[in-house]
């Protein structure tokens, strides 16, 4: 690979260096281009733009590779747990036995949800969307820890370990508390003796105030889903979180904003849309062929298919497809929509439209089926995505804060009205 590139505009040449990553991914470093030429580069949607140098996650979308801190997702899914992978994503190395114990302890010792956060949750209308409540809940949580939201990078970094543990612990408590509130059920106490997912599932679904035992297969399935969502480099919500962090805001603010960015149907909301689509197909009695036809005609999109980065099978979807069978069997649940999903995938993968556009199942295609079988209401699926993604958002906040980098501030090509004269109201 050359180590420099030249852009020629008319008779002027602009020399730019090539920046290469550890996995040999290269890009043209345009940082000096505007200064040299007075021009900006234009990349609507950032599909060709590297916004940062990062050490957290590597993706090769053409080959379907995903690694957290160098470790293949397949290996982590088989051998690790959500909390261990969260530590890896945030701190860069697999923890020693003592480090993992200390991290688990910090998360489980982070305490009960402050009453003021519970009051914020319960101040929302009962039918409020759980993503709105989650974002507000994280903000409210931050205000209960004024020493951790100084918006001074040095100070916020000094207490980052505690902030990270508080957020990872509380994010599921906010979700569970809101679920019980809207179901008209009394909250269930957190039990630090339980594992992360057992505790969460018990706070969600227990029929008694003290929390019942959760079958290991159930908590294992949820742990896997969280682990597979822990980070995914510069996606919409992570980039939003980094953008907020770049202005010097604290981790709580960065995560509350990332939650909002995740909400949309083209990002974290797709797992809900997949179930809606599969349910509609099931109710219509069709095998999915009509839906595929409508997607090919551009009338709709096959939800859970396609990805901005993967032009191959999303490795997380492959793992979840395998996990679907065992999770459903362990739960003793049969899911007619799983058969529809399998059929849709089989048909789409042989169809010229999807082959030509390199559209494969993404992580959302199978995750919703497991979450539904676990008993989560559909409108909570994106909240579960957020719980899994919290370690990634925190890792990126830390990376930005430690780099001490400048504020992110893209430019634009202005296409609006040119200068005009203000007309008083009576003359318009
Ligand atoms: C994820 C997604 C937003 C990526 O978008 P993108 O990289 O910008 O891809 P584009 O929107 O440019 O699509 C490229 C082509 O594939 C088509 N396409 C993309 N996803 C499609 C889908 N799910 N169903 C049908 N056609 C699809 C587009 O219509 C476009 O066709 P064209 O070239 O004839 O215009 C898109 O694939 C999508 O909307 N998927 C469904 C939602 C989803 O599952 N999101 C979760 C992501 S993890």
């Amino acid at each position: 690979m050359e180590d420099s590139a030249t852009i020629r505009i008319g008779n002027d040449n602009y020399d730019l260096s090539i920046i290469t990553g550890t996995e040999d991914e290269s890009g043209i470093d345009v940082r000096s281009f505007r200064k040299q030429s007075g021009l900006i580069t234009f990349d609507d949607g950032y599909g060709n733009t590297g916004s940062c140098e990062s050490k957290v996650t590597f993706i090769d979308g053409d080959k379907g590779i995903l690694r957290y801190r160098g470790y293949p997702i397949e290996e982590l899914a088989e051998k690790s747990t959500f909390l261990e992978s969260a530590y890896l994503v945030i701190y860069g190395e697999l923890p020693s036995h003592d480090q993992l114990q200390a991290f688990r302890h910090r998360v489980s010792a982070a305490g009960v949800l402050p009453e003021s956060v519970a009051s914020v949750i319960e101040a929302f209308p009962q039918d409020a969307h759980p993503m709105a409540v989650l974002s507000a809940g994280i903000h409210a949580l931050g205000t209960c820890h004024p020493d951790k939201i100084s918006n001074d990078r040095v100070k916020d970094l000094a207490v980052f370990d505690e902030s990270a543990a508080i957020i990872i612990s509380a994010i599921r408590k906010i979700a569970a508390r809101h679920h019980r509130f809207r179901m008209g059920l009394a909250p269930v106490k957190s039990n630090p003796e339980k594992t992360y997912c057992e505790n969460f599932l018990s706070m969600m679904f227990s029929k008694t105030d003290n929390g019942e035992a959760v079958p290991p297969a159930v908590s294992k399935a949820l742990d896997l889903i969280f682990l597979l969502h822990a980070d995914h480099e510069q996606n919409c919500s992570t980039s939003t979180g980094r953008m907020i962090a770049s202005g010097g805001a604290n981790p709580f603010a960065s995560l509350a904003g990332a939650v909002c960015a995740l909400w949309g149907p083209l990002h974290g909301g797709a797992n809900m849309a997949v179930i809606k689509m599969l349910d509609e197909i099931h109710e219509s009695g069709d095998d999915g062929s009509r839906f595929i036809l409508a997607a090919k005609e551009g009338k709709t999109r096959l939800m859970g298919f396609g990805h901005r980065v993967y032009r191959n099978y999303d490795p997380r979807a492959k793992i979840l497809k395998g996990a679907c069978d065992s999770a459903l069997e362990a739960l003793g649940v049969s899911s007619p929509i799983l058969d529809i999903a399998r059929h849709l995938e089989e048909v789409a993968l042989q169809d010229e439209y999807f082959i030509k556009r390199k559209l494969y199942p993404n992580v959302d295609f199978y995750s919703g089926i497991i979450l539904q079988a676990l008993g989560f209401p559909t409108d909570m699926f994106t909240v579960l995505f957020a719980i899994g993604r919290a370690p990634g958002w925190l890792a990126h906040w830390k990376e930005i804060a430690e780099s001490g980098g400048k504020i992110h501030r893209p430019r634009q090509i202005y296409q609006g009205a040119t200068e005009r004269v203000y007309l008083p109201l009576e003359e318009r």
Side-chain angles (χ1 to χ4, degrees), residues 333-399:
V333 174
S334 72
S335 167
I337 61 170
L338 176 58
D339 294 334
I340 295 174
R342 284 207 195 96
H343 179 69
L344 279 180
E345 178 188 334
E346 202 181 307
V347 174
L349 293 184
Q350 288 168 13
D351 190 296
E352 192 50 34
Y353 174 93
F354 294 90
I355 295 172
K356 200 171 136 209
R357 289 167 181 76
K358 299 191 174 158
L359 299 169
Y360 293 86
N362 60 48
V363 67
D364 297 315
F365 198 63
Y366 286 105
S367 63
I369 296 173
I370 302 181
L371 294 176
Q372 193 181 52
L374 290 176
F376 287 99
T378 316
D379 66 356
M380 266 195 85
F381 289 3
T382 317
V383 168
L384 299 162
F385 188 153
I387 297 174
R389 183 56 54 84
W393 289 331
L394 287 162
H396 287 275
W397 183 89
K398 189 166 179 275
E399 201 168 68

Side-chain angles (χ1 to χ4, degrees), residues 3-29:
D3 58 6
S4 69
T6 303
I7 295 181
R8 184 183 310 149
I9 302 170
N11 294 326
D12 297 321
N13 286 335
Y14 302 102
D15 292 329
L16 301 165
S17 54
I18 301 283
I19 186 163
T20 306
T22 49
E23 290 281 355
D24 284 340
E25 275 187 324
S26 297
I28 301 171
D29 184 345

Side-chain angles (χ1 to χ4, degrees), residues 232-415:
H232 211 237
E233 54 120 298
Q234 309 310 321
N235 54 79
C236 172
S237 54
T238 302
S239 298
T240 302
R242 285 187 75 112
M243 177 78 89
I244 295 170
S246 81
N250 64 80
F252 294 83
S254 169
L255 264 84
V259 165
C260 294
L262 184 71
W263 192 349
L266 299 185
H267 188 18
N271 51 16
M272 274 167 56
V274 170
I275 295 296
K276 194 166 165 270
M277 173 187 82
L278 294 173
D279 279 341
E280 273 170 24
I281 294 173
H282 181 51
E283 278 156 25
S284 73
D286 180 32
D287 66 353
S289 309
R290 282 207 301 266
F291 203 91
I292 295 226
L293 189 65
K296 285 163 62 174
E297 286 170 351
K299 291 182 188 147
T300 184
R301 285 199 164 192
L302 185 51
M303 299 314 286
F305 254 71
H307 198 276
R308 175 53 70 80
V309 178
Y310 293 115
R311 301 300 179 192
N312 202 324
Y313 214 113
D314 178 339
R316 301 165 301 170
K318 220 176 249 175
I319 296 166
L320 281 177
K321 186 181 179 187
C324 251
D325 286 325
S326 39
L328 265 58
E329 197 187 312
L331 287 161
V333 174
S334 72
S335 167
I337 61 170
L338 176 58
D339 294 334
I340 295 174
R342 284 207 195 96
H343 179 69
L344 279 180
E345 178 188 334
E346 202 181 307
V347 174
L349 293 184
Q350 288 168 13
D351 190 296
E352 192 50 34
Y353 174 93
F354 294 90
I355 295 172
K356 200 171 136 209
R357 289 167 181 76
K358 299 191 174 158
L359 299 169
Y360 293 86
N362 60 48
V363 67
D364 297 315
F365 198 63
Y366 286 105
S367 63
I369 296 173
I370 302 181
L371 294 176
Q372 193 181 52
L374 290 176
F376 287 99
T378 316
D379 66 356
M380 266 195 85
F381 289 3
T382 317
V383 168
L384 299 162
F385 188 153
I387 297 174
R389 183 56 54 84
W393 289 331
L394 287 162
H396 287 275
W397 183 89
K398 189 166 179 275
E399 201 168 68
I400 290 263
E402 283 173 344
S403 76
K406 46 187 173 180
I407 187 164
H408 293 186
R409 195 343 184 148
R411 297 210 168 235
Q412 64 168 12
I413 301 289
Y414 177 67
Q415 303 284 19

